[in-house]
Amino acid sequence: MFQAGPAPFKPAVAHGALRDGLSLSPGMRVGLFGGSFNPPHSGHLHVAETARIRLGLDKVVWLVSPQNPLKSSGETAGLEQRMAWVRDLARGPDMIVSDVETRIDTQWTIDTLRLLKARHPGVKFVWIMGSDNLMGFHHWKGWTDIARLMPMAVVARPGSILGSRFAPTSTFFADRRVPASRAPILAEMQAPAWVYLTAPLNPQSSTAIRKARTTP
């Protein structure tokens, strides 16, 4: 478990950082949506689309993790397979599917986000996650650093609506929460700033899909 202490800085430009494969321009509003996506499903797309529409984002970048440090590698499909699954799901010009963490050789989200900020000055990044991830966000390395690095948008997911509202991150940054009515300007705000977005719920989950695949 990681606590609120700062995450040590890595060099601003790591190996391969100048070849991150992203074509972004200063002034763009860009959502960063990370995960194992093992497998991706309509619930993930619901989170990405809700954030894109409600925040007025130009692009949503799906950061497909090579391996989540908090999950077992034995239950995670290969990166190429998961990239293909996400590309098949997240179609359209507003969605970018990226293996940037592999390209720039980062393991932790905080390092990835710091490098992307350094690589793309002037781009207005927002971190996107479902409320199910918010419940365990305080376990992430440098979680308070992430919240202070860029605004965050949390989209309601089934089974975590009540719990996420009282999660450690929610209470720690309670005074930095902004009303949903201000979601359209979240990307312009100084971090820490975060919004909780409610929308019609999508019940899909990666865990349920994996379980169904292995059940005789």
Side-chain angles (χ1 to χ4, degrees):
M1 179 185 299
F2 296 103
Q3 301 299 331
F9 278 91
K10 292 185 68 173
V13 179
H15 175 70
L18 297 181
R19 299 183 300 279
D20 61 25
L22 300 177
S23 179
L24 305 175
S25 303
M28 290 180 66
R29 296 179 173 191
V30 177
L32 300 176
F33 184 33
S36 301
F37 304 115
N38 183 49
H41 51 72
S42 59
H44 290 131
L45 185 60
H46 171 72
V47 169
E49 284 284 13
T50 298
R52 182 186 66 81
I53 294 169
R54 300 278 293 276
L55 274 60
L57 302 176
D58 298 299
K59 304 285 183 182
V60 174
V61 179
W62 296 58
L63 301 173
V64 185
S65 171
Q67 173 57 48
N68 186 327
L70 301 180
K71 294 183 179 180
S72 168
S73 60
E75 64 179 24
T76 304
L79 177 62
E80 290 186 8
Q81 177 64 76
R82 288 181 287 117
M83 290 279 291
W85 285 336
V86 177
R87 288 193 186 101
D88 190 54
L89 178 70
R91 300 180 178 183
D94 300 323
M95 299 290 173
I96 301 173
V97 181
S98 174
D99 60 352
V100 66
E101 290 187 315
T102 299
R103 288 172 177 261
I104 64 179
D105 190 27
T106 54
Q107 181 183 21
W108 305 103
T109 297
I110 180 59
D111 295 326
T112 302
L113 302 189
R114 283 171 172 166
L115 287 167
L116 288 177
K117 287 267 291 185
R119 176 67 181 89
H120 300 279
V123 172
K124 300 170 184 178
F125 288 114
V126 177
W127 178 250
I128 301 169
M129 62 180 159
S131 59
D132 48 347
N133 280 329
L134 180 66
M135 291 181 65
F137 189 64
H138 59 291
H139 295 307
W140 294 26
K141 181 179 181 180
W143 63 280
T144 56
D145 294 314
I146 295 173
R148 294 185 175 106
L149 186 65
M150 61 185 63
M152 304 193 307
V154 180
V155 179
R157 291 277 293 143
S160 59
I161 296 176
L162 182 61
S164 62
R165 291 179 182 271
F166 297 98
T169 303
S170 301
T171 55
F172 192 87
F173 288 106
D175 62 332
R176 306 304 298 176
R177 180 179 172 181
V178 300
S181 60
R182 301 189 68 191
I185 61 171
L186 181 70
E188 314 288 338
M189 294 183 181
Q190 180 70 38
W194 67 284
V195 67
Y196 192 102
L197 302 175
T198 57
L201 299 176
N202 184 299
Q204 283 273 30
S205 78
S206 296
T207 301
I209 293 174
R210 291 196 303 272
K211 184 176 181 179
R213 288 177 176 176
T214 57
T215 300

